[in-house]
Amino acid sequence: MDENTPLFAIATAAELSGLHPQTLRQYDKLGLVSPTRTAGRTRRYSMRDVVALREIQTLGNEGLNLEGIRRILELQREVADLHGRVRELESALADEVLKRQGRRVFAAGAEGEVIPLRAGERAQRGGQMMVWNPLWRMWNEWFSPPKSGGTEVEKR
């Protein structure tokens, strides 16, 4: 069982949230809080639903109308989804960097073109120069010995 497990009947959820059962039915109808339904079509609220009901009540007491509250809840869900997506993308990027160690080395040509180089390959002297290799920076940050007199926390 966790916070998403539907446990509470409408009367219990109403009591826990400090709202009237008819108010919970109205919020369900408006889509503000949508409890799960049993086979007999009765509403079952989770602890997460009860917390959302309390938040709706707080926002209403602060003067927001139901449409404003609906929009705030929608934006909060969107932000949570986007945070999850960012974590997925950061993980995928970290995996990709680890898979391609040494491949992200580039040089700039005399006319500004980007020239990819292999790991260990040096730019030719004909006007090319090294511009970026993220793995050198990571390698130095992760594996260089700590400087004397400084702690690991101070170094980073």
Side-chain angles (χ1 to χ4, degrees):
M1 290 183 12
D2 63 0
E3 62 187 18
N4 295 317
T5 305
L7 298 173
F8 308 113
I10 192 166
T12 306
E15 186 176 328
L16 290 172
S17 64
L19 298 169
H20 192 275
Q22 190 60 36
T23 305
L24 273 61
R25 290 183 189 97
Q26 181 184 9
Y27 290 172
D28 185 14
K29 186 176 181 180
L30 294 172
L32 294 175
V33 175
S34 298
T36 57
R37 299 284 186 140
T38 65
R41 303 286 300 148
T42 59
R43 294 173 175 87
R44 292 285 181 222
Y45 291 84
S46 67
M47 198 61 204
R48 181 177 294 238
D49 294 331
V50 171
V51 169
L53 290 167
R54 288 180 181 169
E55 184 176 359
I56 291 168
Q57 183 180 31
T58 301
L59 291 171
N61 290 340
E62 291 176 358
L64 280 127
N65 62 17
L66 291 179
E67 180 58 28
I69 293 170
R70 186 196 61 75
R71 183 70 178 133
I72 287 172
L73 295 176
E74 180 182 311
L75 289 171
Q76 286 176 339
R77 281 190 291 270
E78 188 175 331
V79 166
D81 292 345
L82 289 172
H83 279 289
R85 181 68 177 138
V86 166
R87 281 192 296 276
E88 290 172 12
L89 291 172
E90 286 174 339
S91 177
L93 178 61
D95 291 344
E96 190 65 28
V97 167
L98 290 175
K99 286 179 191 174
R100 296 184 180 197
Q101 287 188 359
R103 294 186 185 189
R104 293 187 180 236
V105 180
F106 302 95
E111 296 179 16
E113 70 275 10
V114 176
I115 302 167
L117 301 172
R118 283 181 285 226
E121 182 181 2
R122 295 215 178 253
Q124 299 174 1
R125 293 186 182 238
Q128 298 173 349
M129 62 180 252
M130 184 71 65
V131 290
W132 186 58
N133 183 348
L135 294 177
W136 289 341
R137 182 173 165 189
M138 285 191 298
W139 180 268
N140 288 332
E141 287 177 1
W142 292 344
F143 298 108
S144 63
K147 296 177 184 176
S148 60
T151 66
E152 188 68 22
V153 173
E154 292 171 347
K155 188 180 109 181
R156 291 185 186 222

